[in-house]
Amino acid sequence: MSSAFSPAWVAAQRWFRAKQRSIAGVVEVDRAPIGGAALIVLEVSYADGGAPDHYFVLAIDGREPADGEGAWAALVDAMAAGAELRGTIGTFTCRRTDALEVLLPATLTERRLRVEQSNTSVAIGDRLILKLFRRLEPGENPDLEIGAFLTDAGFADTPALAGAVTYRPDGGEDSAVVMLQELVPARGDAWEAMLAALAGDPDEGIRQAARIGEVTASMHAALASRPAEPAFPARTATVAESAAWRASAERQLTQAVHALSGEPHDRLVAIAPAVRARFADTFGSASGEARVSRIHGDYHLGQLLARADGGYSVIDFEGEPARPLAERRLASSPLRDVAGMLRSLDYAARTAERDAGLDAAAWLPRARESFGAAYGGIGPSEAALLEAFELEKACYEVRYEAGNRPGWLWLPLAAVERIVHRRRG
């Protein structure tokens, strides 16, 4: 069937993942009515002849609904009722958790959040938030999976999971399309809170780093709290896992080199042998010592809400979008999350140095120490592994900035140089 959504419209959406590919066509392959709206699956084909992608759209008369039209609220009602919505070639299955009974407001007002992200979020009343996973990825969605696990485990510093919608084409596998969560009263995210602190009171930034370290430790403890559950192990790393970490890190370095040209390329090429040697040395001896469990997977200041009560709530457990879904569900070292947060603190400090005159070189060591002490301390063997994960993350950032924000390339490139030349002792 044809689609009212044009290739140009799809290409312009923030949630469209394949910006580098030319769209050959957009076809509506499934539709299920819900009130006066419809749940739609679009198939996007590409001029390069590669595999198509499928995207989820909620629409009224061929367009996405505006606030107050009731389409988003109808989804919440469907989850509350445990409805199954039959389409042409598949089924949308709606389900709820016990938390929905407590959080469901009497009036389902709608407010789409105007933030740039790869998904779409809509506030329902003042206690619920609806998250649409736009690109269909068959398999267990880690955001839903971990959200349900942490809610059941009693981890208070993440929004409670209230409901979900999955889509299954006939003869196919489930893909998550909607998640319903508790709406946490917040002053913004931890990135905004940290920048505000660094502009006015850098010591408050140190205190924030400590509180984030405490939340991070609690999150990792909760994720490792039920090792008997196959999807949530807690053990030491295998030789195969440490080899996979090394391969992943070397791949990030290679991709970073290929993403650069001119003087940045030459700088990275000059230190690439030392970077590879660090990866080989550290990951080659990691098995048997490194702890392994489920982790956040894309952990940075933007993934924590700065709550109105002064605490933090961790959100968005999807993992790095560039990694395959199956890879994002693998157990890994919690130090990956720690490395991601330390890199995020570096970004915050350099941003505040540029915008507010912070002495980043003086502030960062204090912030790292504050975060690490609150996290619980990291021993010598873990420190070497953490450093390797930081180095991998900085290589990833080089590639990201080269493709999206070339004006920021200096920051992760300098981090790669600084980390690889850092003396360990």
Side-chain angles (χ1 to χ4, degrees):
M1 61 184 77
S2 61
S3 172
F5 297 98
S6 68
W9 181 85
V10 170
Q13 302 309 302
R14 173 67 178 83
W15 43 256
F16 177 60
R17 300 273 187 92
K19 300 290 187 184
Q20 75 283 3
R21 301 175 72 184
S22 175
I23 297 176
V26 177
V27 177
E28 182 182 309
V29 295
D30 208 351
R31 166 187 290 257
I34 179 169
L39 308 181
I40 295 171
V41 176
L42 302 177
E43 182 175 274
V44 180
S45 57
Y46 299 101
D48 59 19
D53 288 323
H54 294 86
Y55 285 88
F56 169 67
V57 176
L58 176 62
I60 296 178
D61 298 328
R63 58 173 177 80
E64 292 210 305
D67 294 348
E69 291 192 86
W72 316 107
L75 265 180
V76 177
D77 284 335
M79 280 181 272
E84 283 200 353
L85 307 173
R86 179 63 191 171
T88 309
I89 62 166
T91 302
F92 293 88
T93 300
C94 308
R95 64 182 189 271
R96 59 181 291 168
T97 73
D98 292 342
L100 182 56
E101 192 168 339
V102 176
L103 297 170
L104 189 66
T107 303
L108 300 182
T109 58
E110 307 167 325
R111 177 172 55 89
R112 181 167 173 171
L113 304 186
R114 309 299 177 185
V115 293
E116 284 197 10
Q117 53 188 15
S118 56
N119 301 299
T120 300
S121 296
V122 181
I124 304 294
D126 61 357
R127 302 195 68 189
L128 290 168
I129 186 164
L130 198 65
K131 181 176 181 179
L132 277 64
F133 300 108
R134 295 302 199 150
R135 183 167 173 258
L136 272 61
E137 296 182 278
E140 189 83 49
N141 181 289
D143 206 4
L144 273 176
E145 181 186 27
I146 293 177
F149 178 89
L150 290 177
T151 298
D152 191 53
F155 178 61
D157 291 322
T158 196
L161 179 68
V165 180
T166 56
Y167 170 74
R168 174 180 289 187
D170 295 341
E173 192 176 2
D174 283 351
S175 295
V177 292
V178 177
M179 179 169 67
L180 185 65
Q181 288 180 294
E182 174 188 10
L183 178 60
V184 175
R187 301 174 286 113
D189 60 33
W191 171 261
E192 296 166 327
M194 182 63 74
L195 289 186
L198 295 185
D201 181 7
D203 286 341
E204 171 58 21
I206 301 297
R207 291 188 286 272
Q208 287 185 18
R211 290 197 292 271
I212 292 169
E214 292 170 356
V215 170
T216 306
S218 296
M219 174 184 70
H220 286 157
L223 288 172
S225 64
R226 297 181 179 180
E229 295 194 22
F232 288 86
R235 51 174 174 76
T236 56
T238 65
V239 172
E241 284 170 330
S242 59
W245 297 344
R246 175 181 174 180
S248 172
E250 290 177 343
R251 185 166 59 250
Q252 294 295 346
L253 172 61
T254 298
Q255 292 173 347
V257 170
H258 289 165
L260 300 180
S261 61
E263 188 266 347
H265 174 271
D266 295 340
R267 285 172 61 188
L268 189 56
V269 166
I271 61 171
V275 175
R276 287 194 177 91
R278 181 67 61 85
F279 291 152
D281 177 51
T282 305
F283 293 127
S285 60
S287 60
E289 299 179 0
R291 293 176 294 122
V292 165
S293 64
R294 291 296 291 274
I295 64 172
H296 185 283
D298 188 24
Y299 200 53
H300 54 80
L301 289 166
Q303 305 287 40
L304 287 88
L305 298 177
R307 297 197 307 258
D309 65 4
Y312 294 93
S313 289
V314 187
I315 59 173
D316 292 339
F317 288 89
E318 288 182 83
E320 289 182 0
R323 296 182 186 269
L325 185 144
E327 186 177 328
R328 286 183 265 142
R329 292 188 64 235
L330 293 175
S332 189
S333 169
L335 295 178
R336 278 193 184 275
D337 286 344
V338 175
M341 187 54 66
L342 292 178
R343 292 296 312 127
S344 193
L345 290 173
D346 185 32
Y347 264 77
R350 308 298 172 181
T351 300
E353 186 170 54
R354 181 197 63 184
D355 297 342
L358 176 75
D359 184 347
W363 183 85
L364 267 171
R366 296 176 59 214
R368 290 172 62 93
E369 182 179 359
S370 179
F371 175 91
Y375 182 74
I378 295 171
S381 62
E382 287 188 316
L385 188 57
L386 172 58
E387 192 173 74
F389 282 129
E390 282 189 78
L391 194 53
E392 178 192 17
K393 186 68 173 180
C395 289
Y396 165 84
E397 292 163 356
V398 167
R399 178 169 62 90
Y400 177 86
E401 302 298 7
N404 296 275
R405 303 187 303 180
W408 283 85
L409 252 177
W410 62 272
L411 197 159
L413 188 58
V416 173
E417 294 171 329
R418 187 169 60 250
I419 295 169
V420 79
H421 291 132
R422 187 182 294 159
R423 296 183 63 181
R424 289 182 289 167

